Amino acid sequence: MLMLGIETSCDETAVAVVSDDRTVHSNVILSQLDEHRPYGGVVPEIAARSHLQNLPSITRSALQEAGIPYAALEGVAATAGPGLIGGVMVGLMAAKSIALVQKIPFVAVNHMEAHALTPRLTNAIEFPYLALLISGGHSQFVAVAGPNEYRIYGTTVDDAIGEAFDKTAALLGLPYPGGPALEQAARDGDPQAFALPRPMKGRPNCDFSFSGLKTAVRKLAEDNSVELSSDQMISNISASFQQAAAEVVADRAAHAAERFLKEYPEGRTIVAAGGVASNVSIRAALNKAASDLGLEFVAPPPALCTDNGVMVAWAGIERLQIGMSDTFDFAPRPRWPLDEMAL
Ligand code: KG4
Ligand code: ZN
């Protein structure tokens, strides 16, 4: 089954061709980073216009790289939400048009579902598993029992973890996008340099909170005795922040895993996905938390953790394989909680 996947929900115009034997035939991504950089964040209007301008040529490139004509496609999937409405509309309309002309099934994919199912493509893991989705807009634990069976265990009560990385990086004067820049700066820093809070650590639920950690860094940055113009100081704060975030994530994961194992004793795996799952310290902390519980930890390679068309194509395959496709009146969903689609 050859599936085209289209992702336009944020600031990447991404199209890929994937088949059900787990072959990635092409994976084309056009990042809009340079267009948004002057504003220090994603500007929805600029994103939508850029998706509109670039999606046709990116789609052509994806088919060319895969070496297949439109007529060989057996399905087309697009992110239908959650995300920035303008971009989602562009991708969704393109996918519906291709499906209409080629007379193939159209699949509307939830962006978070696409992240959550990626480890099934990259590591062929079995259901059920516990997924930790950590990105710019989300921090949540989801028990994944099947392609359409999700149970949310916990989420953030304030900022998403990627947002906390991005805002903290901005406070420290690091370049946009902040997450990868902060990780880079942290490499030369001392993670014990500053005692930052570990919000939610030890709490019995599976929720996150990151705004306190961000505020603690802001107070540190405002403290005159801390010289922010020194690279070493910025590295030390970055490393301390990353260490605190990683410890919190590992602690929350252990709680979520206990609940998961009660509900799914046959479960064996913790999965991390979303942009922040490409962070090496976070991955290492999760790996340890999983092995302490006798579970395996799996995360896709970094290029498939951040937004891409491959994950959308794969989610389309998983849904189509269980007979799920969508009609052309499917409307974009800027907000679309994963458990609303649960059986
Ligand atoms: O999944 P993603 O590409 O887009 C969303 O759906 O949000 O995630 C982007 C987020 C941004 O907040 C970015 O700063 C963060 O993931 N991120 C990282 C790293 N790479 C991306 N955060 C920490 N360390 C990284 N290496
Ligand atoms: Zn994402």
Side-chain angles (χ1 to χ4, degrees), residues 111 115 135 307 311:
H111 181 86
H115 276 304
S135 70
D307 292 349
M311 66 181 193

mmCIF file of all heavy atoms in Angstrom, residues 111 115 135 307 311, ligand 2:
data_model
loop_
_atom_site.group_PDB
_atom_site.id
_atom_site.type_symbol
_atom_site.label_atom_id
_atom_site.label_comp_id
_atom_site.label_asym_id
_atom_site.label_seq_id
_atom_site.Cartn_x
_atom_site.Cartn_y
_atom_site.Cartn_z
ATOM 1 N N HIS A 111 -2.444 15.042 14.214
ATOM 2 C CA HIS A 111 -0.991 15.260 14.258
ATOM 3 C C HIS A 111 -0.326 14.505 15.423
ATOM 4 O O HIS A 111 0.753 13.921 15.271
ATOM 5 C CB HIS A 111 -0.736 16.769 14.378
ATOM 6 C CG HIS A 111 0.701 17.161 14.414
ATOM 7 N ND1 HIS A 111 1.450 17.372 13.278
ATOM 8 C CD2 HIS A 111 1.531 17.385 15.454
ATOM 9 C CE1 HIS A 111 2.687 17.706 13.625
ATOM 10 N NE2 HIS A 111 2.759 17.726 14.947
ATOM 11 N N HIS A 115 2.554 11.434 15.518
ATOM 12 C CA HIS A 115 3.760 11.327 16.357
ATOM 13 C C HIS A 115 3.724 10.014 17.142
ATOM 14 O O HIS A 115 4.726 9.301 17.246
ATOM 15 C CB HIS A 115 3.824 12.489 17.355
ATOM 16 C CG HIS A 115 4.420 13.761 16.803
ATOM 17 N ND1 HIS A 115 5.669 13.816 16.235
ATOM 18 C CD2 HIS A 115 3.938 15.029 16.765
ATOM 19 C CE1 HIS A 115 5.934 15.076 15.866
ATOM 20 N NE2 HIS A 115 4.893 15.832 16.175
ATOM 21 N N SER A 135 6.243 18.059 22.556
ATOM 22 C CA SER A 135 6.532 18.931 21.419
ATOM 23 C C SER A 135 6.344 20.378 21.828
ATOM 24 O O SER A 135 6.232 20.707 23.014
ATOM 25 C CB SER A 135 5.598 18.578 20.263
ATOM 26 O OG SER A 135 4.290 18.964 20.590
ATOM 27 N N ASP A 307 8.513 17.467 13.143
ATOM 28 C CA ASP A 307 7.412 17.292 12.193
ATOM 29 C C ASP A 307 7.889 16.845 10.804
ATOM 30 O O ASP A 307 8.900 17.327 10.313
ATOM 31 C CB ASP A 307 6.621 18.595 12.084
ATOM 32 C CG ASP A 307 5.876 18.891 13.373
ATOM 33 O OD1 ASP A 307 5.821 17.995 14.235
ATOM 34 O OD2 ASP A 307 5.349 20.006 13.506
ATOM 35 N N MET A 311 5.439 10.474 9.145
ATOM 36 C CA MET A 311 4.562 10.045 10.250
ATOM 37 C C MET A 311 3.091 10.139 9.852
ATOM 38 O O MET A 311 2.273 9.323 10.282
ATOM 39 C CB MET A 311 4.846 10.861 11.521
ATOM 40 C CG MET A 311 4.504 12.334 11.428
ATOM 41 S SD MET A 311 4.930 13.170 12.993
ATOM 42 C CE MET A 311 4.075 14.742 12.772
HETATM 43 ZN ZN ZN B 2 4.667 17.884 16.001
#
